[in-house]
Amino acid sequence: MPLDDVVLALQHLVDRFIRRARLGPPPAAGARRLLIVQIDGLSRSVLEQGLAEGRMPFLRRLLKRGDLQLRPMAVGMPTSTPAFQMAAMYGVRPDIPGFHFHDKRRREDVYFPRAGDAARVEAQQAGGRRGIVAGGSSYGCVFTGGAADSLFSFAMIKRPTGTGLVRAVTNFVVLTWVAVKALTLTAVELGRALLRLIADPVAEWQRGFKSLAIKIGISVWIRQLFNLAVSRDLYRGVPAIYVNYLDYDVFAHAYGPRHRRALRALRRVDRSLRQLWRVCRRVPEHQYDFYVLSDHGQAHCTPFEKLRDGRRIERVLFDEVFKDAAVREVTPARPSGRRRLASGIKAYRSGRAPGVFQRFFNYLEDDFPWVLGELREAREQHDVRVIAAGPNAFVYFIDEPQPLTIQQIEDRWPGLGESLSRSVGVGYVLARSTEGPVCFWRGKRYRIGDSEAGPFAGREDAATVVAGIVDLMAMPSAGDLVLYGIDAAGGNVSYIAETGAHAGPSAEELHTFLIGPGGAPLPDAIRHPVELYPYFMTYQERHRTAA
Ligand SMILES: [Zn+2]
C-alpha cells in the first residue's frame, strides 16, 4: 500500500534525526542493556496460533532464524497483570488477589485503574527492593518497576512523574511525529469505517463503533506513542526499558481471545516488534538484549449478567443469598435461619427475575454509577462485601479483619460453599481451612494440597494449578470466599461484562511464554514470574559493577 511506504520513508527520516539528536554513550565493556516487550494477555496457545497463521511474520522469522528462542512460562495465580508485574519487577510474592479487591485490615478497596491505588500498592509491597527497570523507563505497565521515566503506567496514569511526562511530551520531534502519524492513521481508519458504514449502515454502526474506538485509542495513538518513546530511549541508551502493548488484551476482553479482531491486533504488535528490533540493530554499540513476554492469557467467557436477567453477581448474592441479616446469626439451635438461607439459595440458583423498577435501578447502577454516586449498598450489605473483578468475585465478611476459615463461614452460613458451587454461573468456590485451601466444585468439597489436586487432578499441569491456589489463598486480601466463573457448568463465566477474561486457573490463562535472545542462558521453563526477577536483575548488576 503506497501510504504505508510513505509513512515508512518518513519514519526512517525521523528515526535518523532522533538518532543524531539523541544518541547516547554505549554501556561499559561487558555490560548489556535490557528491553522487555510485554504483549498483554497473550497466552502461549494463541501466540502459537498467531505464528502458525502468519499473523506475526516478523516474530516468526526471528524465532526460526534462532535470533530469539521461546520458553514456556506459568504465570501463577491470579492470572492478572498487577500480580505478574509485582512478582517479575520486584521478585516478591504479592498480596494482589485480583485487579479489584478489598483489604479487610485497612477497610479499603484497591482498584488498579483508580489514581493512586497502584502507586500505593507498589510502595507497600515492593518493600524498598530495587526494581528490574531501576534507572530506566516503563510504558503502559501497572507499576513503574523502579523506572525513572514512566508514561501511561497505571501507577502514574493520573499523576505522571514530572520527568516522565516532560521528557516524553516535550520531545518536540517525537510528539509531532506521533501526532502526524496517528492523525493520518486515524483518518485512514475513519475513512475505512465510513465506507463500511455507507455499505451497510445499521449493522456496521453497531458492530464496528466499539472496535473503531479501541483501535484508534489503543492501537493507533498509544501504540505509536510507545513505539516512538521506546525508540528514542533505545537511541539514548537507557539501561532498561519495559513496554507493555495493550492492544491484544483490550480486543480479547471485548471480543474473546481468538476473535479475528483480537488476532488482527497481533499483526500491529508484530509491526511494533519489528520497529524496535530495527532500532536495536541500528545501535549495536548499545548492546540491547530483546525480550518478549506475556503476563497471562485469557479464557473465553459468557458475561454473568446474560445468565441472570442482567443482574450483576453482587446484586444476585445480596438479593438471594445474603438477603437477611438474621441469617448471619444462624446456629444449630436456630434452624429458622438455616431454612431462610436455603430458600434464598434456591431462588438464587433458579435465576428469579426482579421487578421492572429493580431492573432499571440495576441498569443505572451498573452503567451510570456516577448518577447514583458511589453506592455502598451495591457492594456491601449486612457486613458482607462483594467485589467482582473479572472471572473472579470476592466475598468478604468484614466484621472480622482476618480471613475466615470455611469452618467459621459455615458456622454462620451452613452449606454455603457447596450451594454456591452448584449455582448458575459459578465454577470454583475457594476458601481457607486449617489444613490449607479447599475448593468446592459442582456441589462437592475438595482439599487442595501437595497430593490433592481436587477437581484439577486430571490436568497435565495440576501441580501448577495447586501451587497457584495455595499462593492465592495465602494472600490476606483474597476474599473469605473466592468465586470463579471459570469451569461453571455451562462454560466459563465472567462477573463483569466482557467476552474474554482472566484471573483464573484455566490452562489458557495460566500458560504464556518468555522469548529471549538466541544466545541467552534462559531457564528451561519459568514456573512463576518471581523467577524472572533474579534473571533480569543480572542486567542491573552487570551495569552497576561495570559503571
Ligand atoms: Zn486484561
PDB file of all heavy atoms in Angstrom, residues 326-348:
ATOM      1  N   ALA A 326     -30.526 -11.553  59.665  1.00  0.00           N
ATOM      2  CA  ALA A 326     -30.792 -12.535  60.706  1.00  0.00           C
ATOM      3  C   ALA A 326     -30.138 -13.869  60.372  1.00  0.00           C
ATOM      4  O   ALA A 326     -29.724 -14.613  61.256  1.00  0.00           O
ATOM      5  CB  ALA A 326     -32.289 -12.725  60.868  1.00  0.00           C
ATOM      6  N   VAL A 327     -30.025 -14.152  59.097  1.00  0.00           N
ATOM      7  CA  VAL A 327     -29.468 -15.440  58.687  1.00  0.00           C
ATOM      8  C   VAL A 327     -28.036 -15.597  59.195  1.00  0.00           C
ATOM      9  O   VAL A 327     -27.589 -16.683  59.516  1.00  0.00           O
ATOM     10  CB  VAL A 327     -29.507 -15.561  57.152  1.00  0.00           C
ATOM     11  CG1 VAL A 327     -28.952 -16.892  56.709  1.00  0.00           C
ATOM     12  CG2 VAL A 327     -30.926 -15.390  56.664  1.00  0.00           C
ATOM     13  N   ARG A 328     -27.344 -14.443  59.288  1.00  0.00           N
ATOM     14  CA  ARG A 328     -25.961 -14.497  59.727  1.00  0.00           C
ATOM     15  C   ARG A 328     -25.819 -15.130  61.092  1.00  0.00           C
ATOM     16  O   ARG A 328     -24.812 -15.731  61.405  1.00  0.00           O
ATOM     17  CB  ARG A 328     -25.393 -13.069  59.762  1.00  0.00           C
ATOM     18  CG  ARG A 328     -24.015 -12.981  59.200  1.00  0.00           C
ATOM     19  CD  ARG A 328     -23.374 -11.680  59.572  1.00  0.00           C
ATOM     20  NE  ARG A 328     -22.777 -11.799  60.881  1.00  0.00           N
ATOM     21  CZ  ARG A 328     -22.654 -10.805  61.738  1.00  0.00           C
ATOM     22  NH1 ARG A 328     -23.117  -9.632  61.428  1.00  0.00           N
ATOM     23  NH2 ARG A 328     -22.091 -10.974  62.891  1.00  0.00           N
ATOM     24  N   GLU A 329     -26.833 -14.935  61.928  1.00  0.00           N
ATOM     25  CA  GLU A 329     -26.746 -15.422  63.301  1.00  0.00           C
ATOM     26  C   GLU A 329     -27.152 -16.886  63.401  1.00  0.00           C
ATOM     27  O   GLU A 329     -27.360 -17.410  64.472  1.00  0.00           O
ATOM     28  CB  GLU A 329     -27.651 -14.579  64.217  1.00  0.00           C
ATOM     29  CG  GLU A 329     -27.384 -13.083  64.140  1.00  0.00           C
ATOM     30  CD  GLU A 329     -25.945 -12.736  64.427  1.00  0.00           C
ATOM     31  OE1 GLU A 329     -25.311 -13.454  65.227  1.00  0.00           O
ATOM     32  OE2 GLU A 329     -25.427 -11.769  63.828  1.00  0.00           O
ATOM     33  N   VAL A 330     -27.280 -17.533  62.293  1.00  0.00           N
ATOM     34  CA  VAL A 330     -27.794 -18.896  62.299  1.00  0.00           C
ATOM     35  C   VAL A 330     -26.888 -19.824  63.116  1.00  0.00           C
ATOM     36  O   VAL A 330     -25.670 -19.716  63.095  1.00  0.00           O
ATOM     37  CB  VAL A 330     -27.957 -19.403  60.851  1.00  0.00           C
ATOM     38  CG1 VAL A 330     -26.680 -20.021  60.353  1.00  0.00           C
ATOM     39  CG2 VAL A 330     -29.102 -20.339  60.726  1.00  0.00           C
ATOM     40  N   THR A 331     -27.503 -20.678  63.908  1.00  0.00           N
ATOM     41  CA  THR A 331     -26.780 -21.693  64.687  1.00  0.00           C
ATOM     42  C   THR A 331     -27.632 -22.949  64.660  1.00  0.00           C
ATOM     43  O   THR A 331     -28.815 -22.888  64.307  1.00  0.00           O
ATOM     44  CB  THR A 331     -26.611 -21.258  66.159  1.00  0.00           C
ATOM     45  OG1 THR A 331     -27.925 -21.166  66.746  1.00  0.00           O
ATOM     46  CG2 THR A 331     -25.884 -19.931  66.293  1.00  0.00           C
ATOM     47  N   PRO A 332     -27.062 -24.071  65.026  1.00  0.00           N
ATOM     48  CA  PRO A 332     -27.885 -25.291  65.049  1.00  0.00           C
ATOM     49  C   PRO A 332     -29.108 -25.124  65.949  1.00  0.00           C
ATOM     50  O   PRO A 332     -30.134 -25.750  65.732  1.00  0.00           O
ATOM     51  CB  PRO A 332     -26.928 -26.348  65.602  1.00  0.00           C
ATOM     52  CG  PRO A 332     -25.567 -25.839  65.236  1.00  0.00           C
ATOM     53  CD  PRO A 332     -25.656 -24.340  65.306  1.00  0.00           C
ATOM     54  N   ALA A 333     -28.986 -24.227  66.931  1.00  0.00           N
ATOM     55  CA  ALA A 333     -30.122 -24.025  67.826  1.00  0.00           C
ATOM     56  C   ALA A 333     -31.199 -23.150  67.187  1.00  0.00           C
ATOM     57  O   ALA A 333     -32.293 -23.031  67.714  1.00  0.00           O
ATOM     58  CB  ALA A 333     -29.641 -23.384  69.132  1.00  0.00           C
ATOM     59  N   ARG A 334     -30.884 -22.502  66.054  1.00  0.00           N
ATOM     60  CA  ARG A 334     -31.868 -21.616  65.410  1.00  0.00           C
ATOM     61  C   ARG A 334     -32.057 -22.011  63.957  1.00  0.00           C
ATOM     62  O   ARG A 334     -31.602 -21.336  63.054  1.00  0.00           O
ATOM     63  CB  ARG A 334     -31.411 -20.161  65.513  1.00  0.00           C
ATOM     64  CG  ARG A 334     -31.536 -19.622  66.941  1.00  0.00           C
ATOM     65  CD  ARG A 334     -30.832 -18.303  67.079  1.00  0.00           C
ATOM     66  NE  ARG A 334     -31.407 -17.288  66.185  1.00  0.00           N
ATOM     67  CZ  ARG A 334     -30.864 -16.084  66.037  1.00  0.00           C
ATOM     68  NH1 ARG A 334     -29.747 -15.775  66.652  1.00  0.00           N
ATOM     69  NH2 ARG A 334     -31.437 -15.217  65.251  1.00  0.00           N
ATOM     70  N   PRO A 335     -32.724 -23.111  63.759  1.00  0.00           N
ATOM     71  CA  PRO A 335     -32.832 -23.658  62.395  1.00  0.00           C
ATOM     72  C   PRO A 335     -33.630 -22.766  61.451  1.00  0.00           C
ATOM     73  O   PRO A 335     -33.553 -22.956  60.249  1.00  0.00           O
ATOM     74  CB  PRO A 335     -33.532 -25.002  62.602  1.00  0.00           C
ATOM     75  CG  PRO A 335     -34.248 -24.877  63.910  1.00  0.00           C
ATOM     76  CD  PRO A 335     -33.456 -23.922  64.746  1.00  0.00           C
ATOM     77  N   SER A 336     -34.363 -21.785  61.981  1.00  0.00           N
ATOM     78  CA  SER A 336     -35.139 -20.939  61.069  1.00  0.00           C
ATOM     79  C   SER A 336     -34.209 -20.189  60.120  1.00  0.00           C
ATOM     80  O   SER A 336     -34.520 -20.001  58.946  1.00  0.00           O
ATOM     81  CB  SER A 336     -35.993 -19.951  61.861  1.00  0.00           C
ATOM     82  OG  SER A 336     -35.152 -19.026  62.538  1.00  0.00           O
ATOM     83  N   GLY A 337     -33.083 -19.758  60.641  1.00  0.00           N
ATOM     84  CA  GLY A 337     -32.101 -19.075  59.810  1.00  0.00           C
ATOM     85  C   GLY A 337     -31.643 -19.976  58.685  1.00  0.00           C
ATOM     86  O   GLY A 337     -31.537 -19.571  57.534  1.00  0.00           O
ATOM     87  N   ARG A 338     -31.432 -21.217  59.021  1.00  0.00           N
ATOM     88  CA  ARG A 338     -30.994 -22.181  58.028  1.00  0.00           C
ATOM     89  C   ARG A 338     -32.024 -22.306  56.901  1.00  0.00           C
ATOM     90  O   ARG A 338     -31.674 -22.354  55.740  1.00  0.00           O
ATOM     91  CB  ARG A 338     -30.815 -23.532  58.724  1.00  0.00           C
ATOM     92  CG  ARG A 338     -30.057 -24.556  57.919  1.00  0.00           C
ATOM     93  CD  ARG A 338     -30.093 -25.887  58.620  1.00  0.00           C
ATOM     94  NE  ARG A 338     -29.239 -25.897  59.808  1.00  0.00           N
ATOM     95  CZ  ARG A 338     -28.056 -26.510  59.853  1.00  0.00           C
ATOM     96  NH1 ARG A 338     -27.609 -27.131  58.818  1.00  0.00           N
ATOM     97  NH2 ARG A 338     -27.335 -26.487  60.948  1.00  0.00           N
ATOM     98  N   ARG A 339     -33.303 -22.329  57.290  1.00  0.00           N
ATOM     99  CA  ARG A 339     -34.344 -22.500  56.289  1.00  0.00           C
ATOM    100  C   ARG A 339     -34.394 -21.285  55.359  1.00  0.00           C
ATOM    101  O   ARG A 339     -34.534 -21.403  54.159  1.00  0.00           O
ATOM    102  CB  ARG A 339     -35.688 -22.720  56.967  1.00  0.00           C
ATOM    103  CG  ARG A 339     -36.640 -23.533  56.095  1.00  0.00           C
ATOM    104  CD  ARG A 339     -37.842 -24.092  56.871  1.00  0.00           C
ATOM    105  NE  ARG A 339     -38.461 -23.149  57.758  1.00  0.00           N
ATOM    106  CZ  ARG A 339     -38.616 -23.368  59.082  1.00  0.00           C
ATOM    107  NH1 ARG A 339     -38.167 -24.462  59.635  1.00  0.00           N
ATOM    108  NH2 ARG A 339     -39.219 -22.460  59.827  1.00  0.00           N
ATOM    109  N   ARG A 340     -34.273 -20.131  55.950  1.00  0.00           N
ATOM    110  CA  ARG A 340     -34.307 -18.921  55.130  1.00  0.00           C
ATOM    111  C   ARG A 340     -33.135 -18.887  54.138  1.00  0.00           C
ATOM    112  O   ARG A 340     -33.292 -18.523  53.002  1.00  0.00           O
ATOM    113  CB  ARG A 340     -34.284 -17.676  56.020  1.00  0.00           C
ATOM    114  CG  ARG A 340     -35.634 -16.990  56.067  1.00  0.00           C
ATOM    115  CD  ARG A 340     -35.589 -15.750  56.894  1.00  0.00           C
ATOM    116  NE  ARG A 340     -35.530 -16.088  58.314  1.00  0.00           N
ATOM    117  CZ  ARG A 340     -35.307 -15.184  59.270  1.00  0.00           C
ATOM    118  NH1 ARG A 340     -35.099 -13.934  58.954  1.00  0.00           N
ATOM    119  NH2 ARG A 340     -35.275 -15.536  60.536  1.00  0.00           N
ATOM    120  N   LEU A 341     -31.976 -19.301  54.619  1.00  0.00           N
ATOM    121  CA  LEU A 341     -30.820 -19.348  53.728  1.00  0.00           C
ATOM    122  C   LEU A 341     -31.088 -20.313  52.588  1.00  0.00           C
ATOM    123  O   LEU A 341     -30.844 -20.005  51.427  1.00  0.00           O
ATOM    124  CB  LEU A 341     -29.556 -19.778  54.499  1.00  0.00           C
ATOM    125  CG  LEU A 341     -28.343 -19.967  53.615  1.00  0.00           C
ATOM    126  CD1 LEU A 341     -27.876 -18.623  53.056  1.00  0.00           C
ATOM    127  CD2 LEU A 341     -27.206 -20.634  54.368  1.00  0.00           C
ATOM    128  N   ALA A 342     -31.651 -21.483  52.936  1.00  0.00           N
ATOM    129  CA  ALA A 342     -31.907 -22.495  51.904  1.00  0.00           C
ATOM    130  C   ALA A 342     -32.848 -21.941  50.841  1.00  0.00           C
ATOM    131  O   ALA A 342     -32.619 -22.126  49.644  1.00  0.00           O
ATOM    132  CB  ALA A 342     -32.496 -23.747  52.542  1.00  0.00           C
ATOM    133  N   SER A 343     -33.883 -21.219  51.248  1.00  0.00           N
ATOM    134  CA  SER A 343     -34.817 -20.702  50.249  1.00  0.00           C
ATOM    135  C   SER A 343     -34.145 -19.605  49.419  1.00  0.00           C
ATOM    136  O   SER A 343     -34.391 -19.478  48.225  1.00  0.00           O
ATOM    137  CB  SER A 343     -36.091 -20.185  50.919  1.00  0.00           C
ATOM    138  OG  SER A 343     -35.815 -18.967  51.588  1.00  0.00           O
ATOM    139  N   GLY A 344     -33.287 -18.822  50.077  1.00  0.00           N
ATOM    140  CA  GLY A 344     -32.554 -17.780  49.347  1.00  0.00           C
ATOM    141  C   GLY A 344     -31.684 -18.387  48.276  1.00  0.00           C
ATOM    142  O   GLY A 344     -31.673 -17.937  47.124  1.00  0.00           O
ATOM    143  N   ILE A 345     -30.996 -19.438  48.634  1.00  0.00           N
ATOM    144  CA  ILE A 345     -30.098 -20.066  47.665  1.00  0.00           C
ATOM    145  C   ILE A 345     -30.883 -20.707  46.530  1.00  0.00           C
ATOM    146  O   ILE A 345     -30.484 -20.649  45.368  1.00  0.00           O
ATOM    147  CB  ILE A 345     -29.180 -21.073  48.388  1.00  0.00           C
ATOM    148  CG1 ILE A 345     -28.175 -20.266  49.210  1.00  0.00           C
ATOM    149  CG2 ILE A 345     -28.483 -21.997  47.395  1.00  0.00           C
ATOM    150  CD1 ILE A 345     -27.047 -21.017  49.780  1.00  0.00           C
ATOM    151  N   LYS A 346     -32.054 -21.240  46.851  1.00  0.00           N
ATOM    152  CA  LYS A 346     -32.881 -21.844  45.824  1.00  0.00           C
ATOM    153  C   LYS A 346     -33.283 -20.788  44.781  1.00  0.00           C
ATOM    154  O   LYS A 346     -33.189 -21.009  43.578  1.00  0.00           O
ATOM    155  CB  LYS A 346     -34.134 -22.442  46.474  1.00  0.00           C
ATOM    156  CG  LYS A 346     -34.750 -23.564  45.663  1.00  0.00           C
ATOM    157  CD  LYS A 346     -35.838 -24.246  46.476  1.00  0.00           C
ATOM    158  CE  LYS A 346     -36.982 -24.682  45.578  1.00  0.00           C
ATOM    159  NZ  LYS A 346     -38.225 -24.886  46.331  1.00  0.00           N
ATOM    160  N   ALA A 347     -33.709 -19.638  45.292  1.00  0.00           N
ATOM    161  CA  ALA A 347     -34.112 -18.558  44.390  1.00  0.00           C
ATOM    162  C   ALA A 347     -32.917 -18.092  43.550  1.00  0.00           C
ATOM    163  O   ALA A 347     -33.030 -17.848  42.358  1.00  0.00           O
ATOM    164  CB  ALA A 347     -34.671 -17.381  45.191  1.00  0.00           C
ATOM    165  N   TYR A 348     -31.774 -18.002  44.213  1.00  0.00           N
ATOM    166  CA  TYR A 348     -30.567 -17.571  43.530  1.00  0.00           C
ATOM    167  C   TYR A 348     -30.230 -18.513  42.386  1.00  0.00           C
ATOM    168  O   TYR A 348     -29.934 -18.089  41.267  1.00  0.00           O
ATOM    169  CB  TYR A 348     -29.426 -17.535  44.561  1.00  0.00           C
ATOM    170  CG  TYR A 348     -28.056 -17.406  43.985  1.00  0.00           C
ATOM    171  CD1 TYR A 348     -27.691 -16.275  43.253  1.00  0.00           C
ATOM    172  CD2 TYR A 348     -27.114 -18.408  44.183  1.00  0.00           C
ATOM    173  CE1 TYR A 348     -26.423 -16.160  42.728  1.00  0.00           C
ATOM    174  CE2 TYR A 348     -25.846 -18.294  43.663  1.00  0.00           C
ATOM    175  CZ  TYR A 348     -25.494 -17.175  42.943  1.00  0.00           C
ATOM    176  OH  TYR A 348     -24.243 -17.063  42.434  1.00  0.00           O
TER     177      TYR A 348
END
